[in-house]
Amino acid sequence: MTLPIYLYGSEVLRKVAEPADLQDRDGILKLVSDMKETLAKAEGCGLAAPQVGVSSRVLIVDGRDMADVYPYLSDFVRVMINPVVTAESGRKCEYSEGCLSIPGIYCDVTRPDSVTVEYYDENFEKVTETFDKFACRMVQHEMSHLDGDMFVDHVAPVRKKIISRKLNAIAQGRISARYSTKLVK
């Protein structure tokens, strides 16, 4: 089922998400299925459970649509349940980021250029994986959502001031997107 994507200003996006209950496999798999469908419909490259109104530590990253720019993403899809960063590079890199919860806004954000993440996959097997390049960026962006954090929190103050009107408009529901959205304060 396609779910609405919660917009900037929605309370659920600013809460630290609860760990997913690994005993509720059916519930998690239903959420993952709905999130995959929602992500495909929205034509995004990542989605965290809080973005569909569920305060749970579940995310999906799918880089396949970006393979024309980043060929190494041609088969990159991950479902992460209860992900935890266990190591990160001291080196930083900057990429432009956007977000389905903040339609129409893109900003350069600096983050570590590689991270190691421990998580459960959709088969409920524990995985430890190191990510770099744009895959690392997608994973970090979605993991930030699980901590109530959004990419606009990491932009330079002058850039934040420049986009403040657009952010306020989104937070008031004055936005149109090509996918279903919802604003819940």
Side-chain angles (χ1 to χ4, degrees):
M1 173 172 60
T2 302
L3 303 170
I5 295 176
Y6 283 59
L7 292 172
Y8 179 87
S10 295
E11 190 176 312
V12 69
L13 296 175
R14 291 305 191 172
K15 290 182 178 178
V16 175
E18 297 293 324
D21 179 1
L22 297 176
Q23 302 304 309
D24 182 17
R25 290 180 179 220
D26 290 343
I28 292 171
L29 291 175
K30 172 69 171 131
L31 174 62
V32 167
S33 175
D34 290 348
M35 287 174 63
K36 283 180 177 179
E37 188 175 320
T38 302
L39 183 61
K41 179 103 175 169
E43 300 176 351
C45 64
L47 190 65
Q51 291 181 275
V52 293
V54 179
S55 185
S56 183
R57 298 187 80 77
V58 177
L59 66 84
I60 298 170
V61 287
D62 184 343
R64 295 175 295 183
D65 285 346
M66 302 191 68
D68 56 332
V69 177
Y70 304 111
Y72 55 88
L73 296 176
S74 63
D75 62 353
F76 184 79
V77 180
R78 300 290 186 280
V79 171
M80 297 182 174
I81 303 164
N82 295 336
V84 175
V85 172
T86 58
E88 65 180 45
S89 166
R91 293 180 313 275
K92 306 282 184 183
C93 63
E94 186 176 78
Y95 279 102
S96 180
E97 294 188 25
C99 182
L100 294 172
S101 293
I102 309 175
I105 296 179
Y106 300 89
C107 300
D108 290 339
V109 178
T110 301
R111 298 186 191 263
D113 73 354
S114 71
V115 293
T116 300
V117 180
E118 189 175 272
Y119 63 95
Y120 290 91
D121 65 15
E122 62 190 311
N123 297 313
F124 298 91
E125 295 176 7
K126 195 171 220 176
V127 176
T128 301
E129 190 171 6
T130 299
F131 302 96
D132 63 3
K133 302 179 184 173
F134 200 75
C136 176
R137 178 59 48 139
M138 291 188 300
V139 168
Q140 289 180 85
H141 176 105
E142 297 310 327
M143 285 187 69
S144 289
H145 279 296
L146 303 180
D147 293 325
D149 198 24
M150 301 182 83
F151 83 93
V152 292
D153 300 331
H154 301 279
V155 302
V158 68
R159 181 70 174 134
K160 184 97 178 222
K161 180 124 176 93
I162 291 169
I163 63 173
S164 65
R165 280 191 184 159
K166 288 181 181 179
L167 290 173
N168 287 334
I170 294 169
Q172 293 171 9
R174 294 190 332 258
I175 189 74
S176 68
R178 65 184 184 281
Y179 44 87
S180 175
T181 61
K182 189 171 188 173
L183 180 63
V184 179
K185 295 192 180 224

